[in-house]
Every structure is written in C-alpha cells, then in structure tokens.
Amino acid sequence: MSPKLSPEAGPGEPGVELFTRRSDFEAALARFAGPGRRAVVMTMGALHEGHASLIRAARARVGAEGLVTVTVFVNPLQFGAGEDLDRYPRTLDADLEVAAAAGGDIVFAPPVEEVYAGGEPRVRMAAGPMGERYEGASRPGHFDGMLTVVAKLLHLTRPDLAFFGEKDAQQLALIRRMVLDLDFPVEIVGVPTVREDDGLALSSRNRYLSARERSTALALSRALSEGREAGRQAAAQAPHSLSSPPSPGSPGSPGSPSSPPGPDGSDGREARDGSGGPAGPARVASPRTVRAAARAVLDAAALLEPPLVLDYVALVDPSDFTEVADDHTGEAVLAIAAKVGDTRLIDNVRLWFGVA
C-alpha cells in the first residue's frame, strides 16, 4: 500500500497500485490525505515513452505530495466497424512498470463492464460539428465515444489537472472545448509529442509497421518539417512584418489559462515538433506556401512501395479545427492523417502566423 493512500504504509513499499474495480479505486481516492493536487493521465494502455512523458509532466506539476493516476482502458465506444479494437495491444504488466518508473501512484485499469455497467451508455457526449471534420469524418462517432469516456473518467478520478498528448491535436482541442463549454472543474494540459530518433511520432500502432512501411511512414514527419521550413523561409523574406508567438502567460500563449503550460523538466525528446526542433509554435508566414510544401512530400510518398495513402492534410485553427484562410494570423496546426499498409497514422506541428 502506497504511503500516500495509507498512513500505516512503510516508505519502502511499492509506489504504484493497480485497481480494476471501480469501488476499490474510489475507496483509494477517499484515503488520499495528502495536501497536494490530483492529476490524471488517460491512456488505452500499451504505454511507451510518449505516455511516460505525460506521467512525468503530471508529476512535475503536482509535486511529490500530489497524486498521479494513470487510467488504462481500451474504450470500445471510440472504435468503429473494421477498426483495430480486437488487435489493439494489451500489455498491462509492462504498463505498470512504465507508470511506476515515470512517477505514477495509481493505475486504474477497469474492464468494460466496470466502466459501462449497464452496457453501452444510452446517453453520450456529442462532439458536434467540431468533431465531424478530419478525424471525425474519417472515423464517424469516434469523438463522441472519446468524449464520453473522458467525461466519465474525469468524474471518476476527480483530478485538478488532466494531461493529454499534443499528437492527437483534434482530440485535445475537443477535450478543451468540452471542459470549457460544460464547466468541468479541471485544467487540461497539453504535452508535446515524443518522437523516435528518425522523427516518427511515437504511437502504440507503430509496432504494426514493417521495416518498409515504417520507411514510407516517415513521410508524415518530413511533410511537417518541409511545411514548417517553407513557412519560415516565407517569414524571413517578409521584412519586419511578422510578430512573434505570444510570450508565456500572455493571452493565447502556451502559458495562458486557455492553453496551460507545458511540462517542467523535459528531457529534450519530449519537446520536439515535426522538424525535430524545439516544441512551441514556429514563426512562419504564408499558409498557401506551408500547405504546398507539405503536400509535395506526401504526393511523392504516394508513389513509394508500399505507398502512403493520404486521408487528409489540413492547416487548421486549433480553437475549432476549421481550415485557416491565406491571411490567417495567430496559431495554426498543420495536421496529417494517412495509412501505410493496414496502419493508420496521424501527426501534426504547431505554427504561428502573424503580422505586426
């Protein structure tokens, strides 16, 4: 028993506890008597370094006296017909090791019947028009299912802060919108994407890729890099006309209330974007140029063997995931989704367009 959950526990006892029953988990939360805040990291398991970065970010924000809960639940509501629900990896023993090493206190890994005790819920969250674009168009109903389980887990875990990866940019935007619109008393914290040494964004689905498929899949991060670099060159050619991204703490900045600060103590791999450079919106110009440069890389990858099959490439406003105009100013997200073989991959990079 963790010292945080039982005053009688010794300091050398395990620091992470597993709960699979909702009643046991709720009793554990009730025993938490520490003065610190509560944080949650929601996952579907198969934890990797990207998930570990979320747990470390949570620990950094709540401190040694806070409580960090990691949920492991493969949510059937967000998988459509023909998707990989049945083959989605389940690696709970390894997940416990990752959670403990990264600073988690509790792992809540309930079976489906504990989360949806009466069967599939009759009332669900609806993502609305914002959830019908891009990922929502390709995966109808996905975001309704995702928001339903996130809302349910927020109620069950009762956190002060909830941490989500920026790789799933539309998911993060929808969660922030749900929390804002429905007055959930929680701060949503986005954590930068973690990448492999070759630039591929970490994902539990990467394990499905063959060596040749992985080579093709690298076109996603290359397209983001080329798009950003083209935008940077356009910005450099615009004499003294571009503003910089807002400083931390200013309205709309990564440190503002609407977009919480990133993790403390990042190790460098956690703060990388599509070009392999530091995270945060890159100062760029010309949405038209950015789109064209990214599209050129993706078109070339469609001719490879195996080919990259593009679902979408979009340059969107992160507040509502609508395509930005060519005169857009402010933050934007360059987002890509594609299939290589049977594996569907997503990636994105944050950009900043601005005129002084």
Side-chain angles (χ1 to χ4, degrees), residues 47-306:
L47 302 190
H48 50 62
E49 178 60 23
H51 299 107
S53 76
L54 299 177
I55 300 168
R56 287 195 294 269
R59 172 57 62 208
R61 285 292 302 275
V62 303
E65 295 182 331
L67 188 74
V68 176
T69 296
V70 180
T71 66
V72 175
F73 180 65
V74 182
N75 177 34
L77 299 188
Q78 64 195 73
F79 287 80
E83 293 190 330
D84 58 353
L85 173 61
D86 291 336
R87 73 166 184 157
Y88 197 88
R90 273 81 164 175
T91 58
L92 184 56
D93 288 343
D95 294 344
L96 294 174
E97 294 180 6
V98 172
D105 295 304
I106 294 175
V107 172
F108 180 44
V112 173
E113 56 269 21
E114 283 286 321
V115 177
Y116 304 123
E120 291 194 2
R122 295 179 176 84
V123 176
R124 307 186 188 191
M125 302 298 293
M130 187 175 170
E132 295 169 358
R133 309 177 186 112
Y134 305 113
E135 285 298 293
S138 298
R139 307 177 66 188
H142 166 74
F143 285 128
D144 293 351
M146 179 276 294
L147 289 177
T148 297
V149 79
V150 168
K152 194 172 185 87
L153 290 173
L154 286 174
H155 288 310
L156 290 174
T157 59
R158 303 192 294 277
D160 300 296
L161 306 102
F163 291 75
F164 296 91
E166 291 179 353
K167 183 175 79 71
D168 297 294
Q170 192 170 2
Q171 169 181 281
L172 177 58
L174 280 162
I175 292 170
R176 281 181 166 149
R177 177 53 58 182
M178 177 184 74
V179 165
L180 178 65
D181 288 352
L182 302 183
D183 298 312
F184 280 72
V186 62
E187 179 184 349
I188 303 301
V189 182
V191 179
T193 300
V194 177
R195 297 184 178 277
E196 309 253 13
D197 291 339
D198 59 9
L200 187 66
L202 278 177
S203 169
S204 300
R205 292 185 170 94
N206 289 353
R207 67 187 68 194
Y208 301 149
L209 296 169
S210 69
R212 294 180 66 191
E213 287 171 343
R214 184 184 179 94
S215 179
T216 296
L218 294 176
L220 274 75
S221 57
R222 284 201 305 271
L224 297 176
S225 178
E226 289 295 323
R228 191 177 82 155
E229 183 57 29
R232 278 179 162 165
Q233 291 179 11
Q237 294 167 6
H240 311 295
S241 62
L242 297 181
S243 63
S244 297
S247 58
S250 63
S253 74
S256 71
S258 63
S259 181
D264 298 326
S266 297
D267 66 3
R269 293 187 69 220
E270 296 164 18
R272 303 180 80 83
D273 56 27
S275 71
R283 173 179 158 172
V284 298
S286 181
R288 186 193 305 266
T289 298
V290 170
R291 289 187 181 100
R295 188 64 190 238
V297 174
L298 299 169
D299 288 346
L303 304 177
L304 298 176
E305 184 56 44

